[in-house]
Amino acid sequence: MAVVSSSPTLLPLRMNLGSFSPNIPLFSISSRPSNRPRPPIIVFSYTEAGDGLASEEKKLLLERYGLDPDEFLSEPPPPKTGKRKELQKRGRGKSVQPPEEPKPPRATHKLLQVLGGKARRKKLLSPKGMDVRPMMEVVKGAAFDILQAASGCPAALRPGRWLDLYSGTGSVGIEAISRGCSQVHFVEMDPWVVSDVLRPNLEWTGFLDVSIIHTVRVENFLERAEQFVGKDGSFDYISVTPPYTEVDYGVLMGQISKSPLIGEDTFIVVEYPSRTDMLDTCGFLVKITDRRFGRTHLVIYGPTWAQKKRKP
């Protein structure tokens, strides 16, 4: 393509500088016929990078004819890729986090059973995995044997109301109903455990009619105890089986000891891990027993008369 200007102009031609032949002219001078004389037009061209002339020779050749070597020898910028455009559309180049993988569905199995009373040997559902850790059967059996002996009824529990904190599968509260308790309040915060484990266990054992389920955190339940329980007053039995790593036993037991849920004749069963210091009293209740089962410990608080009855 020819460009006309008022002064001699060098314009690129399509030619390889590195492999040119001396017989081929590098420049062509042309002019158009006109009524008045015009200055000649000088056209200069070269092809893309070649292997003939060195880069320094090309630079000198371009400077000799008044051209800017940087303009002719610089490489064009790389084209934008489709991936970069896609990122710009999403978030102007911001990193996009991959979507989280869906969690596998939770499942249950029947590994627990009722140890004594009306529902003895009935199997209970429990979640697979470590989401819920029910009380071991050997610990549960020992706890109820101690309670029955301390309350003066070795064959069964004294009739009364039971509060099952951190109930999970409900195995402790169900054992209490099976052995003679008249009513149990279950406190469990996980809605899936309540709907797929606890309630089916109560239906299977036939104890749903004498059970009340509170789907709430234990801390909130203790803070609003009178609102949840009403005018029925204190409980005869309270079981505390929390997940070991998620509670502060000092704070929890302090909250329970100040709660209107305990009375002068209440028994409290607490499961706790090793290297945990438990006080000798809980409010006006005294420690009746403190036993170890491997890494699991069991402490039971109760009225003074029960402690005296158990010593002989």
Side-chain angles (χ1 to χ4, degrees):
M1 178 180 68
V3 179
V4 180
S5 65
S6 59
S7 60
T9 307
L10 293 177
L11 296 176
L13 292 174
R14 301 298 295 176
M15 181 176 176
N16 192 334
L17 291 177
S19 59
F20 74 94
S21 173
N23 297 327
I24 301 175
L26 290 176
F27 304 93
S28 64
I29 303 175
S30 63
S31 62
R32 295 181 180 179
S34 178
N35 295 331
R36 57 177 182 175
R38 290 187 178 182
I41 299 173
I42 301 174
V43 181
F44 172 76
S45 178
Y46 74 121
T47 61
E48 298 177 357
D51 299 329
L53 291 176
S55 60
E56 191 65 28
E57 294 175 349
K58 295 176 185 179
K59 184 177 180 181
L60 293 174
L61 182 60
L62 292 170
E63 289 177 349
R64 183 182 303 173
Y65 292 99
L67 299 176
D68 184 4
D70 294 334
E71 180 182 353
F72 286 86
L73 298 179
S74 61
E75 297 181 359
K80 294 182 179 180
T81 61
K83 186 176 181 180
R84 186 174 179 181
K85 290 181 179 179
E86 184 179 354
L87 289 176
Q88 289 178 349
K89 288 181 180 179
R90 289 183 182 179
R92 296 186 176 276
K94 296 180 180 178
S95 60
V96 179
Q97 298 294 335
E100 295 183 359
E101 296 183 1
K103 294 182 179 180
R106 301 170 75 177
T108 60
H109 52 183
K110 286 190 175 182
L111 293 181
L112 305 175
Q113 66 175 347
V114 182
L115 300 179
K118 296 178 291 185
R120 184 171 180 263
R121 293 184 179 178
K122 279 201 172 185
K123 295 290 185 179
L124 301 177
L125 291 172
S126 61
K128 290 183 179 180
M130 298 300 293
D131 293 342
V132 177
R133 183 193 53 78
M135 177 183 280
M136 294 188 301
E137 291 187 349
V138 61
V139 181
K140 182 173 67 174
F144 278 92
D145 289 343
I146 295 170
L147 286 176
Q148 290 173 186
S151 60
C153 301
L157 284 175
R158 289 186 300 115
R161 298 165 59 243
W162 188 293
L163 174 61
D164 189 3
L165 300 177
Y166 305 97
S167 57
T169 62
S171 65
V172 176
I174 290 173
E175 189 77 31
I177 300 174
S178 179
R179 293 184 184 232
C181 273
S182 55
Q183 186 185 67
V184 174
H185 286 248
F186 297 90
V187 181
E188 172 56 47
M189 63 173 287
D190 191 332
W192 180 85
V193 172
V194 170
S195 62
D196 288 48
V197 180
L198 175 57
R199 186 176 293 274
N201 283 338
L202 292 173
E203 293 174 349
W204 166 243
T205 52
F207 298 152
L208 186 61
D209 293 340
V210 292
S211 303
I212 299 174
I213 301 174
H214 305 274
T215 309
V216 65
R217 295 182 64 89
V218 169
E219 295 82 1
N220 297 339
F221 180 86
L222 294 175
E223 290 174 358
R224 298 181 289 169
E226 294 180 356
Q227 174 184 345
F228 286 112
V229 178
K231 299 179 181 180
D232 294 333
S234 60
F235 285 88
D236 300 285
Y237 305 93
I238 299 176
S239 57
V240 186
T241 56
Y244 293 159
T245 59
E246 297 182 14
V247 298
D248 184 328
Y249 277 84
V251 175
L252 176 61
M253 297 308 298
Q255 195 174 9
I256 293 175
S257 64
K258 299 174 184 177
S259 171
L261 300 176
I262 64 173
E264 295 181 356
D265 296 329
T266 301
F267 289 89
I268 302 178
V269 180
V270 184
E271 185 185 39
Y272 67 96
S274 301
R275 300 180 182 180
T276 302
D277 296 328
M278 300 297 291
L279 298 176
D280 292 333
T281 60
C282 181
F284 37 76
L285 303 178
V286 297
K287 184 186 293 186
I288 295 177
T289 186
D290 193 346
R291 296 181 60 181
R292 176 182 175 185
F293 302 85
R295 293 179 296 177
T296 300
H297 291 248
L298 177 72
V299 61
I300 297 179
Y301 297 96
T304 307
W305 60 261
Q307 186 185 43
K308 294 178 180 179
K309 185 175 294 187
R310 176 166 171 76
K311 280 183 178 180

